[in-house]
Amino acid sequence: MSLARTGEFGLISRVTARLSAGPACLLGPGDDAAIVAASDGRVVASTDVLVEGRHFRRDWSAAVDVGHRAAAANLADIVAMGAIPTALLVGLCAPPGLDVRWAEDLADGLAAEAAKVGASVVGGDMSASPTLTIAVTALGDLHGAAPVLRSGARAGDVVALAGRIGYAAAGYTVLSRGFRTPKLLVEAYRRPEVPYAAGPLAARSGATAMIDVSDGLLADLGHIATASRVGIDLRRDAFEVPPQMRDAAHALGADPYLWVLAGGDDHALAATFPEDTPLPEGWRAVGHVIEGSGVTVNGRAHKGASGWDHFG
């Protein structure tokens, strides 16, 4: 059954019936707006847009995978501030001929990913469009803590990473070459494994700056370097290349370190910590903050792309 045949209100009923309310949701879908608890008095908010053909392909990923991915991209931004995610708002623009089951599966993926952090989908909007587009806004609560910004890194700080990196970029390359294995890499592209707990934990442990690695480690650490007016130097030997990635790179004639250093979509977290601060569980040191500007690897500028360019 198509969206056109189901109708807007029929689709809304089908989708909202699949959603459950998280602890911060005081009023979910059904009124002009939802009500989300904000006990802190401040709301952390972030928005991302996924466009078919640009950010996902239906022949590469099932609808439920796209839902997980769309939610993860936004939830990662919230925890990168040290906050706890509370709610998602979703805008769906879709061709009228789209099968309603695709939209339902999308909703299932969004709800399941949000549930990992105790958040919920509380509302949104939908419209007909020739291009399938999913826009998600995430909300979060700092619970009285100060946000961790990009601008707090200082020379001497340790640069640390939490989560996987390079896996999704490798999976994207595998899919773009017409293959579906290794499964580890392909599934990493379809559904990122975000280290959600690592963000608030880093904030409590004294992180001076933090960012979600969505566009590539070099590019995103470059944002911290610019905002903090410092340089960052990474150690190449701090990044382990797993066997599946190394084998895929050999088979495809690719450099695995390009996936690791410049690949996005894993939504790992990168942060800086004072040098004498023990790194919290799940974090590993990969470099240092230095005087200067920009991001280097083993003291040298990286040659080639540093990350994803949305208009490139």
mmCIF file of all heavy atoms in Angstrom, residues 19-29 34-37 71 75 85-90 107 110-123 136-139:
data_model
loop_
_atom_site.group_PDB
_atom_site.id
_atom_site.type_symbol
_atom_site.label_atom_id
_atom_site.label_comp_id
_atom_site.label_asym_id
_atom_site.label_seq_id
_atom_site.Cartn_x
_atom_site.Cartn_y
_atom_site.Cartn_z
ATOM 1 N N LEU A 19 5.198 3.809 18.338
ATOM 2 C CA LEU A 19 6.112 4.554 19.188
ATOM 3 C C LEU A 19 5.730 4.410 20.655
ATOM 4 O O LEU A 19 4.556 4.349 21.000
ATOM 5 C CB LEU A 19 6.104 6.034 18.803
ATOM 6 C CG LEU A 19 6.394 6.352 17.332
ATOM 7 C CD1 LEU A 19 6.272 7.847 17.094
ATOM 8 C CD2 LEU A 19 7.774 5.846 16.921
ATOM 9 N N SER A 20 6.744 4.367 21.518
ATOM 10 C CA SER A 20 6.513 4.356 22.954
ATOM 11 C C SER A 20 7.147 5.590 23.576
ATOM 12 O O SER A 20 8.037 6.210 22.984
ATOM 13 C CB SER A 20 7.105 3.085 23.583
ATOM 14 O OG SER A 20 8.490 2.992 23.321
ATOM 15 N N ALA A 21 6.700 5.969 24.762
ATOM 16 C CA ALA A 21 7.157 7.197 25.406
ATOM 17 C C ALA A 21 8.297 6.910 26.375
ATOM 18 O O ALA A 21 8.200 6.012 27.218
ATOM 19 C CB ALA A 21 6.005 7.866 26.140
ATOM 20 N N GLY A 22 9.384 7.674 26.256
ATOM 21 C CA GLY A 22 10.487 7.579 27.197
ATOM 22 C C GLY A 22 10.177 8.360 28.456
ATOM 23 O O GLY A 22 9.158 9.065 28.542
ATOM 24 N N PRO A 23 11.049 8.287 29.451
ATOM 25 C CA PRO A 23 10.781 8.932 30.743
ATOM 26 C C PRO A 23 10.661 10.447 30.681
ATOM 27 O O PRO A 23 10.002 11.050 31.535
ATOM 28 C CB PRO A 23 11.972 8.506 31.606
ATOM 29 C CG PRO A 23 13.031 8.089 30.638
ATOM 30 C CD PRO A 23 12.302 7.528 29.464
ATOM 31 N N ALA A 24 11.271 11.096 29.691
ATOM 32 C CA ALA A 24 11.208 12.556 29.597
ATOM 33 C C ALA A 24 10.008 13.045 28.794
ATOM 34 O O ALA A 24 9.749 14.245 28.730
ATOM 35 C CB ALA A 24 12.486 13.111 28.976
ATOM 36 N N CYS A 25 9.287 12.118 28.175
ATOM 37 C CA CYS A 25 8.139 12.494 27.345
ATOM 38 C C CYS A 25 6.899 12.645 28.222
ATOM 39 O O CYS A 25 6.338 11.650 28.700
ATOM 40 C CB CYS A 25 7.907 11.449 26.265
ATOM 41 S SG CYS A 25 6.475 11.791 25.221
ATOM 42 N N LEU A 26 6.449 13.877 28.416
ATOM 43 C CA LEU A 26 5.249 14.138 29.214
ATOM 44 C C LEU A 26 3.995 14.096 28.353
ATOM 45 O O LEU A 26 2.919 13.763 28.839
ATOM 46 C CB LEU A 26 5.364 15.501 29.901
ATOM 47 C CG LEU A 26 6.610 15.693 30.783
ATOM 48 C CD1 LEU A 26 6.585 17.071 31.438
ATOM 49 C CD2 LEU A 26 6.703 14.591 31.843
ATOM 50 N N LEU A 27 4.136 14.441 27.076
ATOM 51 C CA LEU A 27 3.030 14.362 26.126
ATOM 52 C C LEU A 27 3.604 14.069 24.757
ATOM 53 O O LEU A 27 4.419 14.828 24.244
ATOM 54 C CB LEU A 27 2.241 15.685 26.089
ATOM 55 C CG LEU A 27 1.046 15.719 25.128
ATOM 56 C CD1 LEU A 27 -0.037 14.756 25.594
ATOM 57 C CD2 LEU A 27 0.491 17.136 25.012
ATOM 58 N N GLY A 28 3.195 12.968 24.177
ATOM 59 C CA GLY A 28 3.713 12.556 22.891
ATOM 60 C C GLY A 28 2.858 13.022 21.741
ATOM 61 O O GLY A 28 2.102 13.990 21.854
ATOM 62 N N PRO A 29 2.944 12.332 20.595
ATOM 63 C CA PRO A 29 2.196 12.741 19.400
ATOM 64 C C PRO A 29 0.689 12.756 19.645
ATOM 65 O O PRO A 29 0.162 11.959 20.418
ATOM 66 C CB PRO A 29 2.580 11.658 18.378
ATOM 67 C CG PRO A 29 3.867 11.103 18.858
ATOM 68 C CD PRO A 29 3.796 11.147 20.347
ATOM 69 N N ALA A 34 4.478 18.431 21.250
ATOM 70 C CA ALA A 34 4.764 17.502 22.342
ATOM 71 C C ALA A 34 5.286 18.292 23.539
ATOM 72 O O ALA A 34 5.645 19.469 23.434
ATOM 73 C CB ALA A 34 5.795 16.481 21.890
ATOM 74 N N ILE A 35 5.323 17.638 24.700
ATOM 75 C CA ILE A 35 5.882 18.246 25.902
ATOM 76 C C ILE A 35 6.951 17.305 26.433
ATOM 77 O O ILE A 35 6.691 16.130 26.695
ATOM 78 C CB ILE A 35 4.801 18.491 26.979
ATOM 79 C CG1 ILE A 35 3.708 19.416 26.435
ATOM 80 C CG2 ILE A 35 5.441 19.109 28.232
ATOM 81 C CD1 ILE A 35 2.557 19.637 27.394
ATOM 82 N N VAL A 36 8.169 17.845 26.569
ATOM 83 C CA VAL A 36 9.309 17.057 27.026
ATOM 84 C C VAL A 36 9.864 17.695 28.293
ATOM 85 O O VAL A 36 10.064 18.918 28.342
ATOM 86 C CB VAL A 36 10.408 16.997 25.937
ATOM 87 C CG1 VAL A 36 11.605 16.189 26.420
ATOM 88 C CG2 VAL A 36 9.846 16.396 24.655
ATOM 89 N N ALA A 37 10.096 16.900 29.310
ATOM 90 C CA ALA A 37 10.640 17.416 30.560
ATOM 91 C C ALA A 37 12.035 17.985 30.347
ATOM 92 O O ALA A 37 12.848 17.410 29.626
ATOM 93 C CB ALA A 37 10.685 16.308 31.609
ATOM 94 N N ALA A 71 18.574 8.346 13.566
ATOM 95 C CA ALA A 71 18.510 8.657 14.992
ATOM 96 C C ALA A 71 19.907 8.769 15.586
ATOM 97 O O ALA A 71 20.205 9.691 16.352
ATOM 98 C CB ALA A 71 17.706 7.591 15.718
ATOM 99 N N LEU A 75 21.508 11.675 18.006
ATOM 100 C CA LEU A 75 21.755 11.344 19.405
ATOM 101 C C LEU A 75 23.228 11.481 19.745
ATOM 102 O O LEU A 75 23.587 11.888 20.856
ATOM 103 C CB LEU A 75 21.270 9.924 19.689
ATOM 104 C CG LEU A 75 19.763 9.693 19.519
ATOM 105 C CD1 LEU A 75 19.449 8.198 19.577
ATOM 106 C CD2 LEU A 75 18.977 10.451 20.582
ATOM 107 N N PRO A 85 20.268 12.318 26.000
ATOM 108 C CA PRO A 85 19.180 12.523 25.042
ATOM 109 C C PRO A 85 17.821 12.241 25.678
ATOM 110 O O PRO A 85 17.679 11.328 26.496
ATOM 111 C CB PRO A 85 19.486 11.507 23.940
ATOM 112 C CG PRO A 85 20.947 11.211 24.073
ATOM 113 C CD PRO A 85 21.223 11.278 25.545
ATOM 114 N N THR A 86 16.828 13.048 25.292
ATOM 115 C CA THR A 86 15.482 12.876 25.838
ATOM 116 C C THR A 86 14.434 12.611 24.770
ATOM 117 O O THR A 86 13.475 11.873 25.016
ATOM 118 C CB THR A 86 15.051 14.118 26.634
ATOM 119 O OG1 THR A 86 15.144 15.277 25.780
ATOM 120 C CG2 THR A 86 15.938 14.319 27.852
ATOM 121 N N ALA A 87 14.566 13.215 23.577
ATOM 122 C CA ALA A 87 13.491 13.107 22.590
ATOM 123 C C ALA A 87 13.998 13.367 21.183
ATOM 124 O O ALA A 87 15.031 14.019 20.988
ATOM 125 C CB ALA A 87 12.369 14.098 22.924
ATOM 126 N N LEU A 88 13.239 12.837 20.214
ATOM 127 C CA LEU A 88 13.491 13.090 18.801
ATOM 128 C C LEU A 88 12.222 13.624 18.158
ATOM 129 O O LEU A 88 11.110 13.168 18.452
ATOM 130 C CB LEU A 88 13.892 11.802 18.076
ATOM 131 C CG LEU A 88 15.192 11.109 18.466
ATOM 132 C CD1 LEU A 88 15.348 9.824 17.660
ATOM 133 C CD2 LEU A 88 16.383 12.018 18.266
ATOM 134 N N LEU A 89 12.384 14.587 17.249
ATOM 135 C CA LEU A 89 11.322 15.068 16.377
ATOM 136 C C LEU A 89 11.736 14.740 14.953
ATOM 137 O O LEU A 89 12.878 14.987 14.568
ATOM 138 C CB LEU A 89 11.118 16.578 16.527
ATOM 139 C CG LEU A 89 10.632 17.054 17.901
ATOM 140 C CD1 LEU A 89 10.921 18.532 18.086
ATOM 141 C CD2 LEU A 89 9.138 16.787 18.046
ATOM 142 N N VAL A 90 10.823 14.171 14.172
ATOM 143 C CA VAL A 90 11.189 13.649 12.855
ATOM 144 C C VAL A 90 10.325 14.264 11.767
ATOM 145 O O VAL A 90 9.093 14.260 11.852
ATOM 146 C CB VAL A 90 11.044 12.114 12.813
ATOM 147 C CG1 VAL A 90 11.462 11.587 11.441
ATOM 148 C CG2 VAL A 90 11.869 11.459 13.913
ATOM 149 N N ALA A 107 10.119 4.113 11.127
ATOM 150 C CA ALA A 107 9.718 4.495 12.476
ATOM 151 C C ALA A 107 10.225 3.503 13.509
ATOM 152 O O ALA A 107 10.666 3.886 14.608
ATOM 153 C CB ALA A 107 8.196 4.613 12.553
ATOM 154 N N LEU A 110 13.945 4.231 14.090
ATOM 155 C CA LEU A 110 14.109 5.458 14.869
ATOM 156 C C LEU A 110 13.809 5.209 16.342
ATOM 157 O O LEU A 110 14.561 5.614 17.234
ATOM 158 C CB LEU A 110 13.183 6.551 14.332
ATOM 159 C CG LEU A 110 13.549 7.174 12.986
ATOM 160 C CD1 LEU A 110 12.338 7.867 12.370
ATOM 161 C CD2 LEU A 110 14.691 8.192 13.162
ATOM 162 N N ALA A 111 12.681 4.547 16.603
ATOM 163 C CA ALA A 111 12.266 4.294 17.980
ATOM 164 C C ALA A 111 13.237 3.372 18.698
ATOM 165 O O ALA A 111 13.570 3.589 19.875
ATOM 166 C CB ALA A 111 10.856 3.704 17.991
ATOM 167 N N ALA A 112 13.718 2.344 18.011
ATOM 168 C CA ALA A 112 14.626 1.388 18.642
ATOM 169 C C ALA A 112 15.960 2.034 19.004
ATOM 170 O O ALA A 112 16.520 1.774 20.072
ATOM 171 C CB ALA A 112 14.853 0.197 17.712
ATOM 172 N N GLU A 113 16.486 2.888 18.123
ATOM 173 C CA GLU A 113 17.755 3.559 18.421
ATOM 174 C C GLU A 113 17.579 4.543 19.565
ATOM 175 O O GLU A 113 18.434 4.637 20.459
ATOM 176 C CB GLU A 113 18.284 4.260 17.174
ATOM 177 C CG GLU A 113 19.709 4.763 17.296
ATOM 178 C CD GLU A 113 20.750 3.662 17.355
ATOM 179 O OE1 GLU A 113 20.497 2.569 16.814
ATOM 180 O OE2 GLU A 113 21.831 3.896 17.947
ATOM 181 N N ALA A 114 16.472 5.288 19.575
ATOM 182 C CA ALA A 114 16.212 6.239 20.655
ATOM 183 C C ALA A 114 16.077 5.524 21.988
ATOM 184 O O ALA A 114 16.528 6.022 23.033
ATOM 185 C CB ALA A 114 14.947 7.040 20.350
ATOM 186 N N ALA A 115 15.464 4.345 21.970
ATOM 187 C CA ALA A 115 15.257 3.593 23.204
ATOM 188 C C ALA A 115 16.572 3.179 23.853
ATOM 189 O O ALA A 115 16.618 2.954 25.068
ATOM 190 C CB ALA A 115 14.401 2.366 22.923
ATOM 191 N N LYS A 116 17.647 3.079 23.075
ATOM 192 C CA LYS A 116 18.945 2.698 23.635
ATOM 193 C C LYS A 116 19.414 3.685 24.696
ATOM 194 O O LYS A 116 20.191 3.329 25.586
ATOM 195 C CB LYS A 116 19.999 2.604 22.535
ATOM 196 C CG LYS A 116 19.784 1.465 21.547
ATOM 197 C CD LYS A 116 20.885 1.458 20.502
ATOM 198 C CE LYS A 116 20.720 0.334 19.489
ATOM 199 N NZ LYS A 116 21.793 0.325 18.467
ATOM 200 N N VAL A 117 18.969 4.949 24.582
ATOM 201 C CA VAL A 117 19.390 5.968 25.532
ATOM 202 C C VAL A 117 18.220 6.473 26.367
ATOM 203 O O VAL A 117 18.317 7.505 27.030
ATOM 204 C CB VAL A 117 20.076 7.150 24.806
ATOM 205 C CG1 VAL A 117 21.408 6.729 24.228
ATOM 206 C CG2 VAL A 117 19.189 7.724 23.701
ATOM 207 N N GLY A 118 17.085 5.780 26.314
ATOM 208 C CA GLY A 118 15.926 6.188 27.096
ATOM 209 C C GLY A 118 15.162 7.346 26.509
ATOM 210 O O GLY A 118 14.341 7.964 27.193
ATOM 211 N N ALA A 119 15.422 7.670 25.234
ATOM 212 C CA ALA A 119 14.715 8.763 24.565
ATOM 213 C C ALA A 119 13.545 8.191 23.771
ATOM 214 O O ALA A 119 13.369 6.982 23.671
ATOM 215 C CB ALA A 119 15.658 9.533 23.649
ATOM 216 N N SER A 120 12.736 9.070 23.189
ATOM 217 C CA SER A 120 11.590 8.619 22.401
ATOM 218 C C SER A 120 11.307 9.605 21.280
ATOM 219 O O SER A 120 11.707 10.769 21.340
ATOM 220 C CB SER A 120 10.350 8.476 23.288
ATOM 221 O OG SER A 120 10.108 9.656 24.046
ATOM 222 N N VAL A 121 10.626 9.120 20.252
ATOM 223 C CA VAL A 121 10.152 9.984 19.168
ATOM 224 C C VAL A 121 8.845 10.603 19.640
ATOM 225 O O VAL A 121 7.869 9.898 19.896
ATOM 226 C CB VAL A 121 9.930 9.182 17.875
ATOM 227 C CG1 VAL A 121 9.421 10.102 16.763
ATOM 228 C CG2 VAL A 121 11.229 8.495 17.438
ATOM 229 N N VAL A 122 8.817 11.934 19.770
ATOM 230 C CA VAL A 122 7.660 12.596 20.382
ATOM 231 C C VAL A 122 6.794 13.338 19.371
ATOM 232 O O VAL A 122 5.733 13.858 19.732
ATOM 233 C CB VAL A 122 8.097 13.566 21.499
ATOM 234 C CG1 VAL A 122 8.824 12.811 22.606
ATOM 235 C CG2 VAL A 122 8.976 14.686 20.941
ATOM 236 N N GLY A 123 7.209 13.430 18.113
ATOM 237 C CA GLY A 123 6.402 14.127 17.117
ATOM 238 C C GLY A 123 7.196 14.419 15.868
ATOM 239 O O GLY A 123 8.306 13.919 15.682
ATOM 240 N N VAL A 136 15.787 14.980 11.320
ATOM 241 C CA VAL A 136 15.604 14.609 12.726
ATOM 242 C C VAL A 136 16.197 15.692 13.622
ATOM 243 O O VAL A 136 17.318 16.147 13.401
ATOM 244 C CB VAL A 136 16.275 13.265 13.040
ATOM 245 C CG1 VAL A 136 16.048 12.885 14.506
ATOM 246 C CG2 VAL A 136 15.743 12.167 12.128
ATOM 247 N N THR A 137 15.429 16.092 14.624
ATOM 248 C CA THR A 137 15.913 16.999 15.661
ATOM 249 C C THR A 137 15.958 16.242 16.977
ATOM 250 O O THR A 137 14.973 15.609 17.368
ATOM 251 C CB THR A 137 14.997 18.224 15.812
ATOM 252 O OG1 THR A 137 15.042 18.990 14.600
ATOM 253 C CG2 THR A 137 15.443 19.116 16.968
ATOM 254 N N ALA A 138 17.088 16.278 17.647
ATOM 255 C CA ALA A 138 17.255 15.606 18.930
ATOM 256 C C ALA A 138 17.329 16.636 20.044
ATOM 257 O O ALA A 138 17.886 17.725 19.872
ATOM 258 C CB ALA A 138 18.519 14.753 18.925
ATOM 259 N N LEU A 139 16.758 16.289 21.184
ATOM 260 C CA LEU A 139 16.797 17.127 22.377
ATOM 261 C C LEU A 139 17.510 16.376 23.492
ATOM 262 O O LEU A 139 17.483 15.144 23.539
ATOM 263 C CB LEU A 139 15.380 17.496 22.829
ATOM 264 C CG LEU A 139 14.455 18.118 21.788
ATOM 265 C CD1 LEU A 139 13.079 18.376 22.383
ATOM 266 C CD2 LEU A 139 15.046 19.400 21.221
#
